[in-house]
Amino acid sequence: DAGVTQSPTHLIKTRGQHVTLRCSPISGHKSVSWYQQVLGQGPQFIFQYYEKEERGRGNFPDRFSARQFPNYSSELNVNALLLGDSALYLCASSGTFMRNTGELFFGEGSRLTVL
Amino acid sequence: GQQVMQIPQYQHVQEGEDFTTYCNSSTTLSNIQWYKQRPGGHPVFLIQLVKSGEVKKQKRLTFQFGEAKKNSSLHITATQTTDVGTYFCAGYYGQNFVFGPGTRLSVLP
């Protein structure tokens, strides 16, 4: 079985642009979470989606948005990019709604560089 | 907000030496997970601890959850070069997992 797949793997944008990152969870997993990992730091929670509904949101500005599709894949959108948005964006899928359980299976990530 | 702290930030050991990283939460945790991230890679799940005082072992790795469920530790016995990477703890706070800043382990052969 394929693991969590993310695209694109690398991308370069300029300030003010918009970016869309995509994630396909492990087959059968209904929960997708997005994390931002700045170099040298731990992953920071952005969003969680379960059964196509937003179930959690981290402390990120409204420039960040996401959605989950009927096939449980997900998109993370970031508008008006800032230099500080440069990071590795990780998608994690889980077989449960992450209530006191649920190993997170991470994808390889999308490395975004904002110039 | 919830905070998860880890010490040390970096640890350099000679191959064969032991290694321990500590994780502390500002509030009581529902559970805690540990992940390993190799250089250039993505976090990979190691274990989940749920019960107060719980101790779990995986070969050379020993994981502990504090009695008050506010701290945890990961101990590696006789490190090997394959143990190189950053070890993160992640505490569950009722809605999402909060990751610590990680401990970066380097192992000198």
Side-chain angles (χ1 to χ4, degrees):
Chain A
D1 279 344
V4 178
T5 58
Q6 292 187 244
S7 64
T9 54
H10 296 83
L11 67 166
I12 300 173
K13 294 283 187 178
T14 56
R15 281 179 298 174
Q17 285 190 312
H18 162 270
V19 68
T20 297
L21 307 177
R22 296 176 175 83
C23 171
S24 292
I26 291 173
S27 178
H29 283 190
K30 299 179 180 180
S31 173
V32 169
S33 300
W34 287 94
Y35 288 81
Q36 180 196 64
Q37 187 176 27
V38 174
L39 194 62
Q41 297 183 18
Q44 300 294 313
F45 173 74
I46 309 176
F47 286 109
Q48 187 205 7
Y49 277 78
Y50 181 77
E51 287 282 19
K52 293 156 285 185
E53 290 188 10
E54 182 183 302
R55 300 301 184 109
R57 173 186 287 254
N59 189 24
F60 279 80
D62 291 343
R63 300 184 295 107
F64 289 75
S65 64
R67 55 181 176 168
Q68 187 176 34
F69 299 99
N71 65 353
Y72 302 110
S73 66
S74 179
E75 280 183 357
L76 175 69
N77 294 282
V78 187
N79 292 323
L81 286 167
L82 303 174
L83 296 179
D85 295 331
S86 295
L88 180 67
Y89 288 84
L90 294 162
C91 173
S93 78
S94 172
T96 68
F97 176 32
M98 270 181 27
R99 281 198 182 280
N100 289 330
T101 186
E103 169 185 351
L104 296 176
F105 294 84
F106 284 91
E108 297 287 343
S110 294
R111 184 163 297 282
L112 170 65
T113 301
V114 182
L115 301 177
Chain B
Q2 296 90 358
Q3 273 194 317
V4 176
M5 295 153 284
Q6 280 186 258
I7 55 170
Q9 186 176 4
Y10 300 96
Q11 185 78 56
H12 307 278
V13 300
Q14 204 73 35
E15 188 172 19
E17 292 182 338
D18 292 356
F19 160 76
T20 303
T21 174
Y22 300 90
C23 177
N24 290 285
S25 167
S26 54
T27 58
T28 302
L29 296 165
S30 299
N31 64 54
I32 194 162
Q33 295 183 347
W34 284 90
Y35 290 80
K36 175 184 178 182
Q37 185 172 24
R38 295 183 185 275
H42 58 280
V44 175
F45 175 82
L46 293 176
I47 208 156
Q48 175 170 279
L49 304 170
V50 178
K51 300 177 182 177
S52 169
E54 190 170 15
V55 178
K56 286 188 175 181
K57 292 189 176 184
Q58 289 179 350
K59 298 182 180 179
R60 295 179 295 104
L61 278 61
T62 301
F63 304 84
Q64 294 189 352
F65 201 8
E67 294 290 341
K69 299 184 75 173
K70 295 179 71 173
N71 58 73
S72 180
S73 66
L74 158 59
H75 179 82
I76 302 178
T77 304
T79 54
Q80 300 174 358
T81 54
T82 53
D83 295 325
V84 165
T86 302
Y87 293 84
F88 295 99
C89 62
Y92 189 75
Y93 288 95
Q95 187 184 64
N96 59 275
F97 282 98
V98 176
F99 281 75
T103 295
R104 183 177 298 179
L105 172 66
S106 63
V107 180
L108 304 174

